Every structure is written in C-alpha cells, then in structure tokens.
Amino acid sequence: MVLFAFFVSIVFAALMRDDPREQLGLGLRLFGGLVGGGLLAGWLLYPLPF
Amino acid sequence: MPVAETDRVRSPGLTSLVCAAAWALPGAGHLWLGRRRKGLIFLVTLPLMFACGLWLEGRLFPFEPSQPLVALAAFADIGIGLPYFVATALGQGAGVAIAATFEYGNAFLIVAGLLNMLVVLDAFDVAQGRK
C-alpha cells in the first residue's frame, strides 16, 4: 500500500504542478492522504464480520 | 517563410506523433516537448510501477469481449505501452492467482497503465499549447 501510494503520489504531483517545491508539497500531501486514508478505512472496516 | 515553433507543435500530425510516443514509452512525449524533468519522472516511475506489478505476480489480462471486466483490465494494462509488449514477449504477466500478492500485482499493473493514459493526455495538452 505504501509503495502504491508512493508511485501514485509522484505521478499525480508531477502531472498537476509545474514548480518543484509545489510538486514536493502536493506529493507529500497525496502520499499522506493515501496511506492515512487506507489505514483509516482498514480500521473502520475491521469490526465488520465479512 | 519558416514555421513558428508554436505552430509546428500545434500541428495535428505532430501532436498525434507526440501522443503515440507518450503512450509507447512513458515520459517520451514530455521529453520530446522539452519537459525534461517531468519526462524523466514518468520514464522512471511508470515502468517501475509496472515492473512491481509483475514482481507481485500480477496478470496481464487478455482481451476477452465475452468478459467485459477482463477486457477493461486488458485495456488498462495496455495503457503502459511498450513495457506491456516487452513483458508479454518475455512470457511475463501470466499471473499466479493463488499468490497472496496476486490482486496487489493486478492493481499495480492496471493503475500504471491508467496513469500513463493521463500522462498521454497531459502531453497532448502541452503539445496543443494549453499548458
């Protein structure tokens, strides 16, 4: 999941921003959002019996 | 009279070639248009993501019109361009359905192809002078 988030963040940051500093900022936010969102979704779904 | 750079870049023929190059080799379209840094990022990241998908025992899906979801996955897989054909020629991408990482591998392969399609669209915009 972390590796997947890493690749997706890099590509989206490079696509959506032109300035390197903005790319880094967006990439870090995307990476954090993807990993954090994945952990949160896993935590919320954990009690479900199926 | 010499053709201006912007007119040359915006010509439909050249735009089509740029898009074809961008599809065939991730990042090639941006490199062609002088966006070296972005091109190198795509050139390294997308084939690496595709290779990770193969390493994780993912499957390169065949075009089977009788199974629409498989055909859609095949369409996404082929979005990566040349690496798809190289992997197929080398006998990679058979997929190991019983492997624990099978679905992760599929996700990597499919998303790498879809991301390259977005990169092609971005190269199209650059070639058209919109970015």
Side-chain angles (χ1 to χ4, degrees):
Chain A
M1 183 179 79
V2 172
L3 193 62
F4 183 85
F6 175 73
F7 286 128
V8 172
S9 306
I10 288 176
V11 175
F12 269 110
L15 275 176
M16 295 170 71
R17 296 286 185 271
D18 289 325
D19 180 60
R21 287 182 67 86
E22 288 181 4
Q23 284 177 346
L24 183 66
L26 179 64
L28 288 174
R29 271 182 286 147
L30 281 171
F31 181 76
L34 286 168
V35 174
L39 289 174
L40 183 68
W43 183 74
L44 288 173
L45 293 171
Y46 184 71
L48 296 180
F50 47 87
Chain B
M1 188 175 137
V3 180
E5 182 68 18
T6 50
D7 293 336
R8 192 169 61 82
V9 171
R10 287 176 192 181
S11 74
L14 194 69
T15 301
S16 304
L17 279 177
V18 167
C19 290
W23 167 74
L25 189 65
H30 287 78
L31 288 170
W32 186 340
L33 296 167
R35 308 275 172 120
R36 246 182 242 164
R37 213 168 51 80
K38 277 192 181 189
L40 285 175
I41 289 172
F42 299 139
L43 186 63
V44 172
T45 309
L46 290 173
L48 198 58
M49 189 175 187
F50 184 79
C52 282
L54 294 176
W55 174 60
L56 292 170
E57 310 283 9
R59 181 184 181 201
L60 293 173
F61 290 94
F63 279 97
E64 286 186 28
S66 60
Q67 298 181 54
L69 289 179
V70 172
L72 282 174
F75 179 70
D77 282 342
I78 211 166
I80 196 71
L82 214 54
Y84 173 92
F85 297 104
V86 172
T88 307
L90 293 175
Q92 299 293 308
V96 181
I98 55 169
T101 56
F102 176 66
E103 292 296 345
Y104 296 102
N106 289 337
F108 272 73
L109 293 171
I110 288 169
V111 172
L114 293 175
L115 285 174
N116 194 41
M117 291 182 193
L118 284 179
V119 170
V120 172
L121 290 177
D122 192 65
F124 175 79
D125 279 343
V126 174
Q128 290 288 297
R130 294 179 190 154
K131 290 183 101 178

